[in-house]
Amino acid sequence: MAEAYIVAAVRTAGGRRGGKLYGWHPVDLAAQVIDALLDRSGIDPAAVDDVILGCVSQVGEQATNVARNAVLASRLPESVPGTSVDRQCGSSQQALHFAAQAVLSGSMDAVIAGGVESMTRVPMFSPNALPAKAGMGRYMSPAMQARYPDVEFSQFAGAEMMARKYGIEKAALDRYALESHHRAVAAAQSGRFDDEVVPVEIRDAQGAGTGALHTVDEGIRFDASLEGISAVKLIAEGGRCTAATASQICDGASGVLVVNERGLKALGARPLARIHHMSVLGHDPVIMLEAPIPATGRALEKAGLKIRDIDLYEVNEAFAPVPLAWLQSLDADPARLNVNGGAIALGHPLGASGTRLMATLVHALHRQGKRYGLQTMCEGGGMANVTIVERL
């Protein structure tokens, strides 16, 4: 049977809005990750069959096929193509799925999958806001409006719906956010991120190098306290979620190199993991963020596994109600969830988050000597990808 293997998995440390990655054009930032995958795997650059990158805000500096542009900014030869994917927050996780499907089919042997998002230089909602200002309309068609009358799809509203539906109070959300920071602090201070993080030089606003390296996620609050988190104002009056219990706006890039048996033999490298299962599911677009729950249940059934068989889980912390409701619904072990912190502490660079989570998951499995890892994340439009990997 054909197999798909991850042989390298890397990411940049996250940058805060206007922070240490502000000086990087997102194309060049993605190219840094591509070059790091070449270095760590030892693959001949000409042997890469394709580059698939996730990116949500494909406008401005991230427009005109950011994946191909990243190829042209990297050490890859011009013969390597590139294509860009938008499955909202799951974009680079979907890029990984497409890469795995390509090598499983035998049509390709080695594919780089990843993602990039500069939320500083290309602000969130730009693909909607800029055309609206130019009088070019909006994404909701008349048929969509007829099917969902008087609905304004909103992740913020979805987070509040999740909290209420699953009976998760603000105090629980605040405690979860604090735990995310505590886990990220422990991981950063003990060097657990060292194997996955690509050091990049900090650039000034003009793009000139400063000589200093960015290696630590800027979003981590090393002095986080429950008092401080609890004092943050609510996003919506009468709601339960705050900015402190939501993912942080973040700049970053991430990627993995996926190969099949032929690619592995040609490379002569030992794989980090085997892709055991991958699937995607559509769900209610109004509550929007609930999809990881049914998607995980379906994925486990298809894979012939139980939640107790999974050693580590990465569930994207778009908002704290998402992982908490996921734990509750699946009767999963909180000690196995986001063991090095999640997007509340590390940031959520939209299109880069999928392979960011996978890089963290694969390296955590190796560090702990565990077998199976599962990754899932909620996505705009009410979808969720699920990927199960086996450490090798």
Side-chain angles (χ1 to χ4, degrees):
M1 180 180 292
E3 298 284 7
Y5 302 99
I6 295 174
V7 293
V10 299
R11 68 178 182 93
T12 64
R16 298 183 72 176
R17 179 164 50 186
K20 293 182 178 179
L21 293 179
Y22 168 72
W24 280 89
H25 191 293
V27 167
D28 291 344
L29 192 63
Q32 290 285 300
V33 164
I34 291 172
D35 288 345
L37 289 169
L38 300 179
D39 291 339
R40 297 198 186 193
S41 66
I43 193 171
D44 177 358
V48 176
D49 292 303
D50 202 359
V51 172
I52 308 172
L53 294 186
C55 184
V56 174
S57 297
Q58 295 186 33
V59 67
E61 293 184 355
Q62 295 172 168
T64 320
N65 194 0
V66 67
R68 175 59 174 167
N69 297 336
V71 168
L72 300 178
S74 75
R75 298 204 316 270
L76 290 171
E78 291 179 345
S79 59
V80 178
T83 192
S84 305
V85 176
D86 176 8
R87 202 189 282 281
Q88 295 294 280
C89 297
S91 295
S92 55
Q93 188 173 2
Q94 184 60 56
L96 169 58
H97 286 197
F98 284 152
Q101 289 162 355
V103 302
L104 283 168
S105 73
S107 62
M108 297 182 182
D109 296 330
V111 179
I112 287 174
V116 65
E117 204 85 37
S118 176
M119 298 181 74
T120 295
R121 298 171 71 122
V122 186
M124 189 164 55
F125 308 125
S126 291
N128 293 330
L130 296 177
K133 288 181 180 178
M136 297 170 63
R138 60 197 297 265
Y139 73 95
M140 284 194 73
S141 72
M144 287 178 68
Q145 292 173 357
R147 185 171 181 178
Y148 299 97
D150 302 318
V151 171
E152 188 69 36
F153 296 121
S154 166
Q155 59 183 323
F156 305 104
E160 293 292 348
M161 292 179 197
M162 288 278 287
R164 285 182 168 78
K165 179 173 180 176
Y166 291 90
I168 306 169
E169 299 294 336
K170 180 181 180 298
L173 302 178
D174 292 341
R175 289 193 299 270
Y176 182 86
L178 179 64
E179 181 65 19
S180 183
H181 283 286
H182 283 172
R183 291 185 178 192
V185 167
Q189 292 180 336
S190 64
R192 283 185 236 155
F193 292 136
D194 292 353
D195 291 339
E196 66 194 66
V197 168
V198 178
V200 295
E201 186 178 21
I202 299 170
R203 295 179 172 180
D204 62 23
Q206 286 70 48
T210 65
L213 293 177
H214 177 47
T215 58
V216 179
D217 297 279
E218 274 191 285
I220 303 173
R221 299 189 184 278
F222 289 84
D223 60 349
S225 68
L226 188 58
E227 293 75 18
I229 289 172
S230 300
V232 176
K233 69 177 182 180
L234 296 168
I235 295 175
E237 186 177 351
R240 304 181 187 188
C241 298
T242 70
T245 57
S247 56
Q248 294 189 41
I249 288 173
C250 182
D251 302 334
S254 62
V256 297
L257 175 61
V258 183
V259 303
N260 57 17
E261 294 283 359
R262 282 196 304 272
L264 195 62
K265 184 176 181 181
L267 192 55
R270 181 179 177 182
L272 294 172
R274 178 182 69 87
I275 297 174
H276 184 77
H277 169 86
M278 50 188 172
S279 59
V280 62
L281 182 69
H283 193 249
D284 182 355
V286 180
I287 194 169
M288 192 180 292
L289 312 181
E290 192 178 27
I293 295 171
T296 299
R298 178 171 172 264
L300 290 170
E301 183 179 359
K302 282 179 168 286
L305 296 170
K306 304 293 185 184
I307 193 64
R308 64 176 177 271
D309 298 320
I310 307 298
D311 299 295
L312 296 176
Y313 340 117
E314 285 286 334
V315 180
N316 193 42
E317 295 173 358
F319 295 85
V322 177
L324 285 173
W326 185 91
L327 283 171
Q328 181 187 127
S329 298
L330 292 157
D331 194 24
D333 181 359
R336 304 183 190 189
L337 172 70
N338 299 350
V339 294
N340 293 323
I344 288 172
L346 301 172
H348 178 16
L350 299 183
S353 287
T355 41
R356 198 291 290 171
L357 267 65
M358 182 54 69
T360 299
L361 177 60
V362 166
H363 288 289
L365 286 169
H366 275 267
R367 190 170 297 105
Q368 295 193 20
K370 302 296 185 181
R371 184 180 182 184
Y372 285 119
L374 182 149
Q375 174 197 342
T376 187
M377 57 205 310
C378 54
E379 301 159 1
M383 302 177 289
N385 285 68
V386 180
T387 316
I388 300 173
V389 296
E390 179 183 18
R391 177 188 64 86
L392 298 175

